[in-house]
Amino acid sequence: MDALEAEAIWALRETAAAFRKPVMLYSIGKDSGVLLHLARKAFHPGPIPFPVMHVDTTWKFRDMIIFRDRMAKEYDLDLIVATNHEAVAEGVTPFTHGAQEYTRLMKTVTLRAGLDEHGFDAAIGGSRRDEERSRAKERIFSLRMPGHRWEPRRQRPELWRTVNTTLAEGQTMRTFPLSNWTELDVWRYVRREGLPVVPLYFAAERPTVVRNGSLIVVDDDRMPLEPGEQPQMRMVRFRSLGCYPLSAAVESDADTLDAVIAEMEASNESERAGRLIDGDGGASMEAKKVEGYF
């Protein structure tokens, strides 16, 4: 755990030193929380030397937005909230446009626009290699071509801690300090450091419907119910958080941090099995990343 922490802090300090204008992406989830804590450690006693950007699709769980604003206040973050307001005005939702097109418009397009608007040349994220196959291909310092396109075969080698941070015109960099962490590492670090997380990670009775085999928590009255659907209270929690109509819950009794860790130690299910945006084939996430998705 100490070695993982040291590697992540090195990546954060290297990013701050090597790039003209870096930014940290904040998804509000457990990985983002760990990354935020590591950034505070990396630059203590000074402030985090770059802003934090949240891509807000307007369909996040209400608890996530409350938690984001609480963290921004407590940590005195320079928080940027990026939203595709044109898409919102046109009525784009997970229900009207489907998961893939919705994700492209509300996440990929918004992220690219936010990075370009502020002129960021490096974006730090909390992705881990154990999450999903295409993420396993990423380097800690992962080059992006003009337009934020990812070309997996053009990644630079990383030998020991020698990295090439040079950028040509139009290129940007993604930095993944948690690349070598696992889901269990993250939870054990949350416990070791006493970090706060969104309550949705802990089991509680929540109103759910079963849709296409997934347990969807009805977080507000914007979600249209299908004929015959009636929300039922179930004891559920989340392993991965995103937009609530596209994030499946799991039935669980793990309502404490120790219980969550015990559950993870016994699980062989993928963390992202409940993310509906990943469900259209093995190349789905890689195709999104090639277009600029984080």
Side-chain angles (χ1 to χ4, degrees):
M1 191 65 70
D2 287 341
L4 290 172
E5 181 187 67
E7 180 183 64
I9 286 176
W10 161 77
L12 288 161
R13 289 174 174 165
E14 188 74 15
T15 302
F19 296 98
R20 174 180 49 80
K21 192 173 183 181
V23 65
M24 176 180 285
L25 300 187
Y26 183 52
S27 71
I28 319 174
K30 61 188 184 304
D31 307 288
S32 277
V34 166
L35 201 54
L36 200 55
H37 178 71
L38 288 165
R40 297 180 76 215
K41 270 195 168 184
F43 304 105
H44 180 80
I48 298 174
F50 35 72
V52 171
M53 184 163 75
H54 174 226
V55 174
D56 188 352
T57 63
T58 72
W59 283 90
K60 300 297 183 187
F61 290 94
R62 287 171 292 181
D63 281 352
M64 293 177 69
I65 300 303
I66 292 170
F67 187 84
R68 177 198 71 187
D69 294 342
R70 178 188 142 200
M71 289 296 100
K73 185 176 181 180
E74 287 186 9
Y75 291 171
D76 194 24
L77 300 178
D78 178 7
L79 177 66
I80 298 168
V81 178
T83 298
N84 187 341
H85 293 289
E86 289 184 6
V88 172
E90 291 172 0
V92 174
T93 75
F95 308 106
T96 58
H97 287 66
Q100 304 311 316
E101 180 64 1
Y102 164 82
T103 300
R104 186 185 72 81
L105 291 170
M106 300 305 296
K107 292 188 174 180
T108 304
V109 171
T110 309
L111 173 61
R112 293 193 312 230
L115 295 175
D116 289 342
E117 178 185 351
H118 296 277
F120 295 125
D121 59 349
I124 306 161
S127 297
R128 309 185 323 269
R129 289 191 175 114
D130 79 323
E131 286 182 78
E132 191 270 340
R133 280 182 291 179
S134 69
R135 290 185 171 177
K137 298 179 181 179
E138 293 269 21
R139 301 284 193 268
I140 293 178
F141 288 84
S142 188
L143 188 67
R144 293 298 190 267
M145 297 295 118
H148 304 287
R149 294 181 62 82
W150 181 50
E151 297 184 14
R153 295 184 179 180
R154 296 185 63 179
Q155 292 193 100
R156 294 167 175 169
E158 288 181 357
L159 305 175
W160 300 280
R161 288 195 173 184
T162 303
V163 295
N164 181 356
T165 54
T166 304
L167 298 177
E169 182 70 24
Q171 292 179 339
T172 56
M173 192 68 80
R174 302 287 186 270
T175 306
F176 301 110
L178 305 184
S179 283
N180 293 324
W181 296 50
T182 65
E183 182 184 12
L184 197 50
D185 290 331
V186 168
W187 280 117
R188 287 171 174 164
Y189 191 73
V190 165
R191 180 169 63 185
R192 188 182 93 164
E193 302 292 307
L195 305 183
V197 294
V198 181
L200 291 160
Y201 284 118
F202 301 115
E205 282 204 334
R206 297 185 169 97
T208 61
V209 296
V210 180
R211 184 170 292 185
N212 299 321
S214 298
L215 279 174
I216 304 299
V217 170
V218 183
D219 198 55
D220 60 37
D221 58 8
R222 293 180 297 168
M223 180 172 167
L225 297 177
E226 296 181 351
E229 282 186 342
Q230 181 64 41
Q232 295 182 13
M233 300 302 289
R234 292 183 173 89
M235 195 75 171
V236 297
R237 73 176 194 88
F238 292 86
R239 290 179 61 185
S240 180
L241 292 174
C243 299
Y244 85 77
L246 302 176
S247 300
V250 294
E251 292 194 88
S252 171
D253 295 321
D255 56 357
T256 66
L257 187 51
D258 285 342
V260 167
I261 290 172
E263 188 176 272
M264 290 299 91
E265 289 172 337
S267 174
N268 57 7
E269 290 286 326
S270 167
E271 173 184 358
R272 291 188 69 91
R275 295 293 287 272
L276 275 62
I277 63 171
D278 296 355
D280 60 351
S284 173
M285 179 60 76
E286 183 162 330
K288 292 185 187 70
K289 289 169 72 68
V290 167
E291 290 184 350
Y293 185 74
F294 207 82

